[in-house]
Amino acid sequence: MRKALLVICIAALLSAIVSAKTTITVWTFFSGGEGFIVTDLIKKFNAENPDIEVVEQIVEWGELYNKLTTAVVAGDPPDVSVMHLAMIPDFASRGALTPIDAYASKDILSDYVPEIISKAHYNNKLYAIPIDTHPLVMYYNKKLLKKAGLVDQNGEALIPKTWDELIKYAKTAKEKLGLEVSITAENGPMVGERLFMAYYTQLGGEFYDAKTNSIKLDLEKAKKTYEFIKGLYDSGIIKSMDYNTAESLFQNDQSVFHLNGVWAMAVYPTLNLEFGVTSVPALEGSKPYTWADSHTWVLPKHPKDDPNKIKAAVKFIEWFARNAAEWAKAGHLPVLNSVLKSDAFLSLPMRKDYAQVANFVVPAPSMKGWVEIRQKMWEISQSVILGETSAEQAAKQLQQAIKDVLAD
Amino acid sequence: MSLKKYLLTILAIALSLIYLVPLIWMALASFQSQKDILAGKWMPSKWSTDNYRIILQRAKIGTWFVNSLISSSVATIGIVVICTLAAYTVSRMDFPGRRFLYILSLTGFMIPSQAIAIPLYLMVRRVGLVNNLLGIILPALPSSMAVFILSQFMKAIPADYEEAARLDGASELDIMFKIILPMSIPSIITVAVLHFTWIWNDFFWPLIVMTNEKMYTLPVGLVALAGSDVNIRYGPIMAANVMASLPVIVVYLFMQRYLTRGVVLSLR
Amino acid sequence: MTVYNKRKHTLLAYMFFLPFGILLVVFKLIPFVNSVRMVFYKWDVLGTPQFIGLANFTRMFSDRVFLTSLWHTFYFVILTVPPILILSFLIAVLANSKIYGKGFVRSAFYLPYTLTISVVCLTWALLYNPYFGMISKVTKFFGLKTINWLVDPLWAMPAVSITTVWWTMGFSIVLYIAGLQQIPSSYYEAAELDGASSFKKMIFITIPLLKRVHILVIVTQIIASLQIFGQVYIMTAGGPAGKTRTVMQYIYEQGFRYFRMGYAQSMAFIMFLIMLVFAYLQLRLMISSSKEELI
């Protein structure tokens, strides 16, 4: 009898402890190196905060936004979700996010790089806590460059500073080493959206117009950009391929240059790969402008707000933002001034090689309809690469697509 | 004559083996390192189970498998029960409105599931069955194909048995359970195997109704895995494929005798 | 039967039918009625639906992407149905001929059909890879040009089709074997007495007698191929440059990525009309097959 009582007491106690915990579900699309870091950070947060339990759920990168919308509609969204900064207007305007002004602490907001935190707002309400910025950069294989004789007088691998240099080196390396390709990049988002925006901006074009909150396309510059992309593929130094193939070839010493986001830094240093990382090449006379987007944490809208959950969720995402030096191990650049200046960040390997990229980033447009416009950009550039559409037609198609999406 | 038999046998076996090459390669690749796969090797240079270890650590493959198994088998059992009853009604019973019910039961043929996916999704969402296995199971139950195959088969059973039993005072339930159902077993097996395979393989619907990683079915989970994890690349994916396929292959090898026979009998 | 018994019998019949009937109405007929209603609306799921008359349809027929997707869908049907018909017939004949190891041969060809779509597509996507896939190894061995299967606009759809044929052919083979087993051997014996060659037997006996199976395979396969989604979604995501985007893929994109529910449903409605023709044929065929033998 006493035993039974004891058991009941313990059970009651346990359930009291368990129920006192606030569970926060978090959707991420992080994987590989990035994934491990997020998982570790969540573990650390859970250990430091016994009253909150953060549970991570991984969703496919390409499907997160669709699934999030359906989940909000179904009234069953996660408490926290990762979201690209550029997506916030799309979701906030549809009422799918919870504003967090009342919950966020003032000191963290004033610590942000101003351009980033301003984009986390929609109609003057704060909807997101940004955690990084991740630009497009260029990776190069030192071993292959040396093998191809592309070295300076000190025997160090030559790093192309301009597009012309890149093309020249890539051609030389391809011939000397008998490679199938010497530059690899995924043919959809990487080339059609990110490389496009980088080159277009380097031409002096302005892609996103903040005043009208829409895209103002300069047809002539768009045409030139498509001509440039077409030229790269026509010369044979780069071929059309998917993301996995592009990465695999670079990792396997089968390609000299690789265009990818900084997130690849989460993995490359762990491989047996002699590589370097730098900003994308620049046009003669231009700065090496490059595309970038940011990861943020948002609170999807529930049918009923639960202040306790929101408080716990905001506590977690602010904690995460403050620990961004840890997150920066995945390759991303921090967006809090205090983290940017911290030793923890600056002492990470190779960061000095690309930290300066942050000064030349062109953020993905934070505007409604961007999801659809970028999909069109991927396809239009693919069809340019395949020779199905001329550069001029492509520029017009893009202009029309932007018009159609914005009108709808 | 005998020579011809040998030659044909060799041809048939050779073609079969060629046909299975993608599967054989999938199994071999699951034991290869990333380096081997990128080098395009047939045989692993060193047999390793690392890929399996990675996939078991990183992916909820067991959960997805169980989700697929539960939804496919519960739906199959449900289909068999509900559609057998309906098929029995429209094929063996005589009552006013029989023809109407028969035609009604076949309307599902005219409405492909994709054509109603959107309103169906909205309905499933409203009743809270998103991220619930019932969201897959319930809409699968009213299968016109199942009613059709079963009723065609039952119609072909001669009335003599039934009449004899009725004379002996057997009730409707007796007739159904003791005479018609036992004789319909081949068609029931066909219906079960076909529907199990269809639901097991369905991709569009679970992709829409399952938004939570824990609720994915195997096909949706595998694709999400391949599309999301940069470190889980070719080798581990092939290991996941092998793990996802083995149980089904084993079940099939046991069931295959029934399948061909069932199809032969019910299409008659 | 007495009147009482008759009434009881009728009641019992309706009771037996009830579970199926309710589920059919709830999960097929009501959604169908709703689907027809939806085509007149513009709706992004989160807001309120807005009545726009036939605007979805006028939009559809000036939407180049929809029209090309429709063509891609038909193209896929053309690329898959004839090969499946011919190959599955030939293999069924071979597997049904007097050979050793019939069971093994049948299992080998049916086995892919038991695999889940993702396994099939992920494996083939890697096989097709021009840099490290096995198919490029084989083509190289025979001195052929390496094809960038899934990225080449010319080859992407054929590649998806080859995978589909490999994956689903087993089902048609089973149908053919079922048909073949019902041809009385006396037909062949009579032909042999007349000294007919194997080729002639096939042309004059086997093929004509299997007419019903041919039609069944064609119609079933057309219906299946019109609904193609998973293979494209997994292997190419509709690319390169939208060259493999089929109607189902486009419906998915419009409905569940951009949340234009009314527009997506209007396209689904067009697909419904197209498939209705084939579904009707299939049904007619299957009903009449009950009156005579399969062959």
Side-chain angles (χ1 to χ4, degrees), chain B residues 171-191:
Chain B
S171 70
E172 195 68 44
L173 287 175
D174 284 336
I175 292 168
M176 181 163 81
F177 283 110
K178 295 203 178 125
I179 299 175
I180 305 297
L181 283 193
M183 295 181 80
S184 309
I185 283 179
S187 64
I188 292 176
I189 290 178
T190 310
V191 163

Side-chain angles (χ1 to χ4, degrees), chain A residues 192-248:
Chain A
E193 174 193 343
R194 299 164 192 165
L195 179 61
F196 178 93
M197 279 176 58
Y199 194 88
Y200 176 90
T201 311
Q202 292 183 9
L203 281 169
E206 205 167 327
F207 193 67
Y208 172 70
D209 184 37
K211 255 179 264 144
T212 56
N213 188 25
S214 73
I215 295 171
K216 231 172 43 189
L217 197 70
D218 181 327
L219 269 184
E220 190 53 35
K221 294 194 169 86
K223 184 184 140 201
K224 274 195 183 149
T225 307
Y226 282 127
E227 277 167 357
F228 165 72
I229 291 173
K230 175 81 172 127
L232 279 182
Y233 282 85
D234 282 351
S235 68
I237 49 181
I238 179 168
K239 283 179 186 157
S240 211
M241 59 182 69
D242 64 18
Y243 187 90
N244 281 351
T245 309
E247 270 227 308
S248 299

Side-chain angles (χ1 to χ4, degrees), chain A residues 27 29 31-33 35-36 57-61 67 70-71 73-74 76 243-245 247-248 251-252 254 267, chain B residues 34-35 38-39 58 121 125 130-131 207 210-214 216 220 223-224 226-231 233-234:
Chain A
W27 277 13
F29 43 53
S31 53
F36 291 128
Q57 290 173 6
I58 303 166
V59 182
E60 190 185 350
W61 185 87
K67 301 233 173 223
T70 47
V73 172
D76 178 31
Y243 187 90
N244 281 351
T245 309
E247 270 227 308
S248 299
Q251 290 182 12
N252 206 35
Q254 285 173 273
V267 178
Chain B
Q34 178 86 349
K35 270 252 172 313
L38 295 188
R58 290 282 290 158
Y121 163 74
R125 186 201 86 201
V130 167
N131 283 326
L207 180 71
M210 297 304 176
T211 56
N212 183 332
E213 192 195 10
K214 277 189 214 142
Y216 285 167
V220 176
V223 170
S228 77
D229 207 322
V230 288
N231 258 12
R233 206 147 295 152
Y234 306 119

Side-chain angles (χ1 to χ4, degrees), chain A residues 60 63 66 69-70 73 94 180-181 187 239-241 245 248-249 372 375 379 382-383 386 388 408, chain C residues 42 44-46 59 129 131-132 148 151 153 233 240-243 245 252 254 256-260:
Chain A
E60 190 185 350
E63 295 295 339
N66 323 340
T69 306
T70 47
V73 172
R94 284 187 285 163
E180 287 272 344
V181 286
N187 64 5
K239 283 179 186 157
S240 211
M241 59 182 69
T245 309
S248 299
L249 289 174
E372 199 171 351
Q375 175 85 30
E379 277 178 32
Q382 280 179 348
S383 97
L386 297 169
E388 309 233 319
D408 195 36
Chain C
K42 178 179 176 172
D44 74 346
V45 182
L46 287 163
R59 172 181 184 160
N129 189 299
Y131 305 97
F132 28 81
N148 200 345
V151 178
Y233 177 90
K243 285 285 167 193
R245 179 184 280 115
Y252 178 78
Q254 288 293 331
F256 295 94
R257 194 167 285 160
Y258 310 135
F259 297 99
R260 294 196 183 98

